[in-house]
Amino acid sequence: MTAPRVTSATPGERSDFGGTERTTVAIVGTGFGGLAMALELLRNGFDDFVLLEKGDDVGGVWRENTYPGAACDIPSPYYSLSYEPNPTWSSRFSPQAEIQQYMRGLVDKYRLRPKIRFGCEVSSATFDEATNTWRIDAGGTTIVANVFVPATGQLSRPKLPDLPGLDEFTGPSFHSAQWDHSVDLTGKRVAVIGTGASAVQFVPAIQPHVAHMTVFQRSAPWILPRPEVQYRKWHHTLFKLVPPVRLAERFGFWLLCEVISLGLVDAPWMRPLISQIALRKLRKEVPDPELRGKLTPDYAAGCKRGLFSDDYLPTFSKPNVSLETTSIERVEPNGVRTADGTLHEADVIIYATGFRATEFLGPITVRGAGGRDLAEVWRDGAFAYKGMSVPGFPNMFLMYGPNTNLGCGSIIYMLETQAGYIAQVIREVARRRGIAVDVREDVCTEYNRALQKRLDRSVWTLCSSWYRNASGRITNNWPGTVLAYRMTARRWQPSDYRTVLPARSTEGVTV
Ligand code: NAP
């Protein structure tokens, strides 16, 4: 995209009056979604945007999730921006701190910091039809922007379990995404509730330190091998000097995930293959048949997110670890009581119970044209056109929106596709001063009808997971490969959208 020249008087700067800031594009969040969008704009010569960040650093989930053992379970050569490869990852599955450092490095390299408003938590965004602009309330500041890009992610709001007595526990307790590092677990009796991707990483990491750990499992996860490699100096040199080697690593994992993704939707015959690999691993790593029985999933592989670990299953054979599969009745002052009446005493409780993933954009109040409330529009489940546009919300484009999550693959690949698409629209909005574009209702409805039809044959219909809302609708996942999504969203089609002119003069509007 050639650089559209923007006529904002003071791009990305605060005005002197009433804490109002004018900009062309307001991006909410500085996780991978927000950064991918900002970098795409900069790479195209467009710099009239701000990033609103509620925290005091960049990183999104990679800033928040600091639990012991936190690492990416998608290989880093694939879980990074295609145009910003990092030849010096310390290992194939990089630890959290290194990923956040990579993100900070992007911010520094592209001189993004002056564009980021830290400590700016967005509470509401309202579309003003008179001027075709979004008014975004963020603490004491109002941002007026032509384009609103929420990039708040799907996994940013921790969810505590809906159990009675949570407040009665007298010891420390915390969610895995809000790890309390001031609590020393050494020699403590620890209760862990939940056995998803987060628990699978921190359970083996804390086991050597605790006196005893009881892991409360509601559903056993499918665990696959994690082909970890510690990259040495020679790897780094090779990756730097011979880029095809690094690209081969990226391509290999991309291809593997693409094949697995086919198995999750269109090629069900592949699923037994995946479960066989996991069951063989389980037999090898858990010799005790009774324990193995408890750790054997009772639902189709891939229905909940498949997990990659070589140290999680062996942890349950350690003398200081118990696996509890009786359902939890309540939390009490001294521990966790299960339905069989047993009190499992604990000094610390860690909730690894996931996120409010289906509540996209919550708790931000978003009002579009005619004052329509996005929460109301999404009351039966979030939806969007290609995961980015919702009819009646002109010039709003979501990053990592509804139905763009993956059962297997790098979400960064998806984000690059979305950033490219949104940048094309921004170019048009910047070119045609004052217009807004609103996805056509019929186009969006037909897109989602076909999408849900495809999802009906996916493995995700076979169990409950964070991919589905309370009524069972799959609101989070994309039913296919990342390549298929890229083909769908590589070009913005103006005919899919209505052009909306502002109700009154565009004097002062920044595009
Ligand atoms: P999660 O996968 O949603 O797992 C939550 C766990 O808590 C599940 O085992 C769930 O059981 C259990 N649970 C929830 N409520 C419960 C209750 N009332 N009683 C007992 N158990 C309860 O959450 P997560 O582990 O934080 O992972 C969420 C997502 O974050 C992952 O799927 C992944 O996409 C992402 N993540 C990625 C990485 C990475 O390396 N890239 C690492 C961590 C997380 P049920 O299954 O029975 O509901």
Side-chain angles (χ1 to χ4, degrees):
M1 141 173 136
T2 52
R5 215 28 257 160
V6 191
T7 57
S8 167
T10 51
E13 282 176 21
R14 278 164 205 272
S15 73
D16 292 337
F17 51 94
T20 299
E21 183 171 4
R22 299 295 300 265
T23 185
T24 298
V25 183
I27 303 166
V28 184
T30 61
F32 268 118
L35 294 186
M37 186 69 248
L39 298 195
E40 184 66 21
L41 292 176
L42 283 181
R43 277 157 39 87
N44 286 285
F46 188 98
D47 67 357
D48 186 11
F49 62 86
V50 294
L51 292 122
L52 310 174
E53 171 53 59
K54 68 176 178 187
D56 58 5
D57 199 353
V58 300
V61 292
W62 295 108
R63 180 193 64 222
E64 300 293 303
N65 286 267
T66 60
Y67 57 77
C72 190
D73 61 6
I74 296 295
S76 290
Y78 183 24
Y79 194 81
S80 42
L81 291 162
S82 61
Y83 51 87
E84 281 299 338
N86 174 13
T88 60
W89 292 115
S90 65
S91 54
R92 185 177 274 162
F93 298 94
S94 307
Q96 167 267 334
E98 212 176 307
I99 298 171
Q100 197 192 0
Q101 201 47 46
Y102 169 78
M103 298 169 86
R104 288 191 188 120
L106 296 174
V107 169
D108 293 339
K109 178 173 173 183
Y110 287 83
R111 298 196 174 89
L112 265 185
R113 216 158 276 275
K115 295 195 165 292
I116 305 175
R117 309 286 172 265
F118 289 107
C120 230
E121 180 157 13
V122 174
S123 54
S124 69
T126 307
F127 185 69
D128 176 7
E129 285 162 276
T131 56
N132 268 355
T133 55
W134 282 91
R135 292 186 73 81
I136 300 157
D137 288 319
T141 310
T142 301
I143 314 288
V144 177
N146 301 88
V147 180
F148 171 46
V149 182
T152 52
Q154 298 189 6
L155 301 167
S156 55
R157 297 177 65 217
K159 187 176 77 185
L160 287 172
D162 188 12
L163 290 170
L166 245 55
D167 294 339
E168 291 167 22
F169 184 65
T170 50
S173 62
F174 49 85
H175 189 278
S176 58
Q178 295 163 332
W179 197 272
D180 186 345
H181 290 277
S182 70
V183 177
D184 183 4
L185 298 178
T186 312
K188 299 273 169 43
R189 294 167 304 173
V190 177
V192 174
I193 300 180
T195 53
S198 303
V200 159
Q201 293 186 335
F202 75 74
V203 161
I206 65 173
Q207 174 274 326
H209 310 287
V210 302
H212 192 268
M213 173 162 46
T214 307
V215 178
F216 293 86
Q217 172 191 281
R218 194 164 64 179
S219 323
W222 284 99
I223 309 279
L224 291 159
R226 186 179 198 251
E228 177 64 299
V229 173
Q230 297 299 323
Y231 292 140
R232 302 187 188 284
K233 230 182 156 110
W234 68 264
H235 285 104
H236 296 158
T237 311
L238 193 65
F239 288 156
K240 261 186 225 161
L241 296 182
V242 194
V245 177
R246 180 179 44 72
L247 286 171
E249 179 97 341
R250 181 179 166 92
F251 176 75
F253 285 102
W254 171 83
L255 190 61
L256 179 67
C257 285
E258 293 292 80
V259 171
I260 294 176
S261 296
L262 290 174
L264 297 175
V265 183
D266 293 314
W269 54 267
M270 262 188 223
R271 292 175 205 159
L273 236 73
I274 298 171
S275 28
Q276 284 316 313
I277 294 171
L279 290 173
R280 185 169 335 133
K281 179 179 170 65
L282 180 64
R283 278 196 296 275
K284 200 167 127 212
E285 295 180 353
V286 184
D288 175 359
E290 195 187 333
L291 181 60
R292 196 163 62 233
K294 288 181 173 183
L295 287 165
T296 305
D298 60 359
Y299 55 90
C303 181
K304 293 174 195 278
R305 191 171 184 278
L307 307 178
F308 304 88
S309 173
D310 286 341
D311 54 6
Y312 177 71
L313 292 171
T315 304
F316 291 94
S317 302
K318 306 280 182 194
N320 66 338
V321 179
S322 326
L323 177 66
E324 185 52 64
T325 53
T326 310
S327 63
I328 299 172
E329 194 172 87
R330 59 178 294 116
V331 175
E332 296 194 356
N334 297 325
V336 178
R337 192 172 295 278
T338 41
D340 57 4
T342 310
L343 174 67
H344 302 265
E345 291 194 4
D347 304 310
V348 182
I349 301 179
I350 304 171
Y351 298 107
T353 42
F355 300 87
R356 299 182 179 283
T358 55
E359 298 171 20
F360 289 85
L361 289 191
I364 303 174
T365 303
V366 181
R367 291 196 185 278
R372 77 180 67 175
D373 182 356
L374 186 59
E376 181 56 23
V377 172
W378 280 352
R379 71 184 176 282
D380 296 330
F383 64 88
Y385 181 57
K386 303 192 178 185
M388 293 180 273
S389 304
V390 184
F393 294 81
N395 279 3
M396 177 181 86
F397 302 97
L398 295 130
M399 291 289 284
Y400 196 17
N403 296 109
T404 62
N405 181 58
L406 301 170
C408 188
S410 170
I411 205 63
I412 297 180
Y413 190 99
M414 298 290 276
L415 295 172
E416 279 190 47
T417 303
Q418 288 155 21
Y421 181 96
I422 297 169
Q424 291 171 50
V425 193
I426 290 173
R427 175 190 189 179
E428 184 65 6
V429 168
R431 195 178 66 79
R432 297 175 60 195
R433 183 183 163 87
I435 67 147
V437 294
D438 189 9
V439 68
R440 280 169 41 198
E441 185 109 39
D442 58 326
V443 168
C444 184
T445 302
E446 175 50 27
Y447 172 84
N448 278 287
R449 193 200 53 75
L451 183 101
Q452 287 297 327
K453 201 168 159 214
R454 271 181 66 70
L455 283 165
D456 278 348
R457 46 176 204 268
S458 76
V459 68
W460 305 310
T461 57
L462 303 178
C463 69
S464 67
S465 71
W466 64 262
Y467 303 152
R468 310 173 79 183
N469 69 3
S471 67
R473 183 184 164 102
I474 299 169
T475 53
N476 291 61
N477 281 12
W478 164 249
T481 61
V482 296
L483 184 62
Y485 182 73
R486 182 153 294 181
M487 298 313 283
T488 299
R490 75 188 187 289
R491 289 263 171 275
W492 175 60
Q493 297 291 351
S495 57
D496 291 343
Y497 288 74
R498 285 183 318 118
T499 299
V500 183
L501 297 174
R504 71 171 154 79
S505 149
T506 58
E507 203 48 38
V509 175
T510 58
V511 288

